[in-house]
Amino acid sequence: FSVESPTASASRVLYAPHAKWRRIAGGTDRIGRVEEPVAGENAPLWEPQALAADEAGTLYIADQDSHQINGYDGRLVRRIAGDGVWGYAGDGGPATEARLHKPSGLWCRGGRLYIADTGNDVVRLVDLNGSRIFTFAGSGRTGGGGEGGPARLARLNKPGGVVTDRDGYVYIDDIANNVLRRVDRSGVIRRFAGSGGFGFAGDGGPALEADFQEIYGIGIDWTGERLYAADYGNNRIREIHLPTGRITTVAGCGAPGYSGDGGDPTAARLCHPVAVCGDRRGNLFIADAGNQAVRMIPAGEKRLYTLAGGIGIGAGEGEELCSLTLANPNGLAAYGNTLFLLDGANNRVCEIVLP
């Protein structure tokens, strides 16, 4: 349902103003890194950058400045990967003894946790069954080469996101190269979207010929057929239909701003979106970081709404979404009817239960 908030500005139309939310990890007064398992509400975080939820609802947090990945099981936060010191080491050994460098993207399916190890220009893979870590893609040398060869030997430049589709292909958001790369089931990497040019072009045509202005986050719908890219500089969410490889815009008109709630998503204004995800009900969520908001396209509707924030920078408390303020919302993950929201500059993870 869609209801206009009585306390919002004229530009904000809330999808569910009386839905409840709560802080489940971190907080403005809890800055640091996790050493031992700790209750979620007491867990420290340090510039967290991304979230992922697995099939059982376990949440994973890329804690950038602590150079580690934390897991939250609904009660405790514990360290999953990274020893808390930046570096590039530990392949083949326990994930908790490995070194990462400013991880900023996550994805987890089938007991495999993919980490965009951004500062090392690689994607790491943790086998959660054995808790061992390996390099999945990237040689550790900055660049853009390696097309058609082993992913492990390719050069990446600021990988910032990773997802998998239903066929087992792995997609990597190669931010500074302005492209998406895809690794097939035999481990071969190829450019999948983006010409490498910086700008806006290509809607309605092949994704390989499209131009972006830095893709800061990627997501995939529950069917595994549509990949979404948060096109940061173009203030748009782009959609790639995986069976055909065609690209379109599903939200944002290109001009920065905060407008369009209640109307056509492609006529709305976003401001530097950095993350996007879908849930199993078909809803699409957008971390509209420049507007300190989470926007939403409900399943079956061609309308955009604000789900949370959009009323200035803050660290609002209270139970109802209509009064929640955010500071650089930069990560999203969905499980069931719950949306997990990373409120980055407030160093906290919030849980929103949708009607």
Side-chain angles (χ1 to χ4, degrees):
F1 57 91
S2 312
V3 182
E4 186 167 1
S5 168
T7 62
S9 68
S11 63
R12 190 175 81 144
V13 180
L14 290 177
Y15 174 73
H18 302 300
K20 304 300 183 184
W21 75 278
R22 67 186 181 106
R23 178 180 61 85
I24 59 173
T28 55
D29 59 345
R30 294 170 178 82
I31 299 173
R33 65 173 184 255
V34 171
E35 300 287 352
E36 300 295 331
V38 58
E41 60 271 21
N42 296 324
L45 299 173
W46 194 1
E47 291 290 332
Q49 292 293 312
L51 297 175
D54 67 16
E55 299 92 328
T58 299
L59 186 67
Y60 300 90
I61 306 163
D63 203 19
Q64 178 180 258
D65 283 2
S66 70
H67 311 289
Q68 63 189 34
I69 309 301
N70 298 323
Y72 173 69
D73 62 7
R75 189 173 67 89
L76 297 176
V77 173
R78 68 185 75 239
R79 191 162 47 93
I80 301 296
D83 68 357
V85 179
W86 74 269
Y88 181 33
D91 275 2
T96 53
E97 297 178 10
R99 292 195 169 176
L100 311 174
H101 189 190
K102 292 189 177 294
S104 65
L106 290 173
W107 184 255
C108 188
R109 285 295 182 273
R112 296 163 67 87
L113 176 66
Y114 296 89
I115 304 167
D117 191 358
T118 308
N120 286 320
D121 291 314
V122 299
V123 174
R124 311 290 282 276
L125 173 62
V126 177
D127 176 2
L128 293 174
N129 295 316
S131 300
R132 300 279 169 172
I133 192 169
F134 307 90
T135 295
F136 174 79
S139 65
R141 300 177 66 187
T142 304
E147 290 294 298
R152 181 65 180 79
L153 301 180
R155 292 190 182 191
L156 306 176
N157 194 348
K158 196 179 175 184
V162 57
V163 298
T164 60
D165 68 16
R166 63 185 183 186
D167 296 320
Y169 291 96
V170 179
Y171 301 84
I172 300 168
D173 170 14
D174 198 357
I175 296 177
N177 283 320
N178 230 23
V179 299
L180 297 178
R181 315 282 287 274
R182 184 172 76 173
V183 181
D184 66 22
R185 287 169 292 186
S186 63
V188 173
I189 192 169
R190 291 184 175 87
R191 182 171 56 92
F192 175 75
S195 68
F198 187 84
F200 173 72
D203 268 9
L208 276 167
E209 299 176 6
D211 289 344
F212 302 98
Q213 287 192 37
E214 297 190 323
I215 305 165
Y216 264 52
I218 55 177
I220 200 161
D221 77 341
W222 71 273
T223 69
E225 288 192 353
R226 291 175 173 82
L227 185 145
Y228 298 100
D231 193 352
Y232 180 85
N234 282 320
N235 304 295
R236 296 171 182 258
I237 302 300
R238 315 282 288 275
E239 176 190 282
I240 302 171
H241 184 237
L242 297 181
T244 63
R246 296 284 171 175
I247 188 169
T248 56
T249 292
V250 294
C253 66
Y258 183 32
S259 68
D261 275 5
D264 179 354
T266 61
R269 292 193 176 196
L270 309 177
C271 187
H272 301 320
V274 296
V276 57
C277 83
D279 68 10
R280 291 191 64 84
R281 296 192 289 184
N283 299 312
L284 185 68
F285 305 97
I286 302 163
D288 192 2
N291 286 318
Q292 319 302 329
V294 176
R295 314 289 284 276
M296 174 183 179
I297 303 175
E301 292 192 39
K302 292 185 178 180
R303 294 179 183 273
L304 181 76
Y305 299 94
T306 294
L307 179 64
I311 49 176
I313 298 175
E317 297 294 342
E319 293 185 350
E320 293 191 343
L321 279 181
C322 60
S323 60
L324 175 60
T325 52
L326 305 169
N328 189 32
N330 57 353
L332 300 167
Y335 176 74
N337 67 335
T338 298
L339 179 72
F340 298 105
L341 162 63
L342 186 57
D343 189 12
N346 284 322
N347 290 297
R348 65 181 179 177
V349 181
C350 302
E351 177 188 83
I352 298 170
V353 179
L354 296 172

